[in-house]
Amino acid sequence: MSTAISAQQSITLEDGRRMAYAVFGDPAGQPCLFVHGFSSSRWLAGWALSAKVLRRHSVRLVAVDRPGYGLSTANPAGGFTDWACDAAALAGHLGLDRLAVIGVSMGAGPTLALAATRPDLVTSTTILSGMPPVGPGERWAPDSRGDALYWRLARHAPWLLRRLCSATAAMTGASTRGDADRLIRRVERGLSDADVRAFRELVRDADARTAFVADLLESSRQGGAAMADDLRRYLQPWGFEPADVPGPVRLWHGTEDPKVPVTLARRLAARLPRVSARFVPGGHFAAFAYQEEIIGEIAAERR
């Protein structure tokens, strides 16, 4: 899997906040911004994507820490469009005037915000197992009882949600000090059968295991506040509509996804003006089985 070319870089934004990132793949390749999901970090790119695939297609993947995760300063009052401004600042810092964007799971909102507000910057958008907007009063539930509890608390008891997320982050951080194989087995116990199979394939080598442990550590570095903010943010207006995204969007989603039901993904696809949607067998990790095609499509944009 991916070994970072540069695992720890950052910029200082206009308001003094820090935005951290890591670079994977081909350092001279076509630029692509990678936006992680819930309770994750820039290191997701280190175990979920293959370095060989990135280098074969000559793609330079810039994986960011979203606010409050890893080494990026929290911004609890900031919405998705505020993050889009941060991402554009990073692109400017790196001297990039055009780039593709990949958003994973709950990275979908900020990714689509960047595509909607900066069509001059974004060449294409790829959403993997993405979480769509949740309308006022809309009721839905993930298959996982644990995930369903988080969403209920986000609606009805945000103060309790913050405590739960804080406790979860503390336990996650403590677990990274143990044996990697034992930690992976523990994570597998909370996954669906389809996701266990996909996850094992993703973390089958030593580099991927190392990156996975780093991802868990960085995701919990600042506590659980960013997790709680994520959930609450998805229950509020996004500040733009999916219909505002003018450029092409490629959407990949598992038909058995226990975290983001495929019915929600189909609804998101219907709201995007220029979408190519692939609904594939598998769970929340299903899209990563198609990374050769996903990265290849991004690489083809340069031709």
Side-chain angles (χ1 to χ4, degrees):
M1 304 306 285
S2 294
T3 300
I5 299 165
S6 176
Q8 186 173 316
Q9 295 190 62
S10 66
I11 64 168
T12 301
L13 299 165
E14 243 181 42
D15 62 1
R17 287 181 297 112
R18 183 185 187 189
M19 186 177 196
Y21 64 97
V23 180
F24 299 84
D26 180 352
Q30 181 167 347
C32 178
L33 194 67
F34 182 87
V35 188
H36 68 81
F38 180 78
S39 188
S40 190
S41 75
R42 66 194 185 281
W43 274 107
L44 174 62
W47 61 269
L49 292 177
S50 165
K52 291 180 180 178
V53 171
L54 293 172
R55 289 195 295 266
R56 180 160 51 247
H57 292 287
S58 190
V59 169
R60 173 192 181 191
L61 198 74
V62 180
V64 297
D65 280 334
R66 291 196 291 108
Y69 289 114
L71 301 172
S72 288
T73 307
N75 188 23
F80 294 144
T81 55
D82 296 300
W83 183 88
C85 293
D86 296 347
L90 175 61
H93 171 79
L94 296 174
L96 305 175
D97 56 6
R98 296 289 278 166
L99 50 75
V101 190
I102 297 175
V104 180
S105 190
M106 291 180 76
T111 298
L112 290 170
L114 180 61
T117 59
R118 289 298 306 270
D120 60 311
L121 177 64
V122 176
T123 58
S124 71
T125 304
T126 303
I127 301 296
L128 310 179
S129 306
M131 182 67 198
V134 179
E138 183 177 349
R139 292 292 179 264
W140 68 277
D143 291 346
S144 164
R145 292 171 62 186
D147 289 343
L149 173 61
Y150 278 91
W151 283 106
R152 284 199 302 273
L153 293 178
R155 286 184 183 279
H156 304 298
W159 62 272
L160 187 54
L161 172 69
R162 295 184 78 83
R163 289 189 180 182
L164 177 60
C165 289
S166 177
T168 300
M171 289 187 291
T172 299
S175 70
T176 62
R177 294 191 288 270
D179 174 76
D181 289 336
R182 184 181 303 170
L183 173 58
I184 286 169
R185 289 194 296 271
R186 176 180 168 186
V187 169
E188 287 178 351
R189 289 198 290 270
L191 300 177
S192 67
D193 290 344
D195 277 325
V196 167
R197 292 190 294 271
F199 177 66
R200 286 177 178 172
E201 182 67 17
L202 292 173
V203 297
R204 68 183 184 277
D205 65 42
D207 284 346
R209 282 168 144 70
T210 299
F212 175 69
V213 174
D215 188 27
L216 287 182
L217 178 62
E218 291 297 292
S219 73
S220 58
R221 176 185 288 273
Q222 299 186 52
M227 296 163 58
D229 291 340
D230 268 352
L231 292 160
R232 293 290 296 165
R233 203 168 278 127
Y234 270 85
L235 298 176
Q236 299 166 355
W238 279 20
F240 69 100
E241 293 294 329
D244 297 335
V245 179
V249 178
R250 293 184 283 266
L251 187 152
W252 293 79
H253 208 95
T255 56
E256 306 160 61
D257 191 331
K259 293 182 176 293
V260 183
V262 69
T263 53
L264 297 186
R266 293 185 190 278
R267 194 182 310 165
L268 174 61
R271 298 172 66 180
L272 293 162
R274 297 176 59 193
V275 67
S276 171
R278 280 94 151 190
F279 300 103
V280 297
H284 202 57
F285 294 135
F288 291 108
Y290 300 85
Q291 59 183 275
E292 186 81 51
E293 183 176 348
I294 290 166
I295 300 301
E297 288 177 331
I298 291 170
E301 294 170 12
R302 74 167 62 201
R303 295 195 286 269

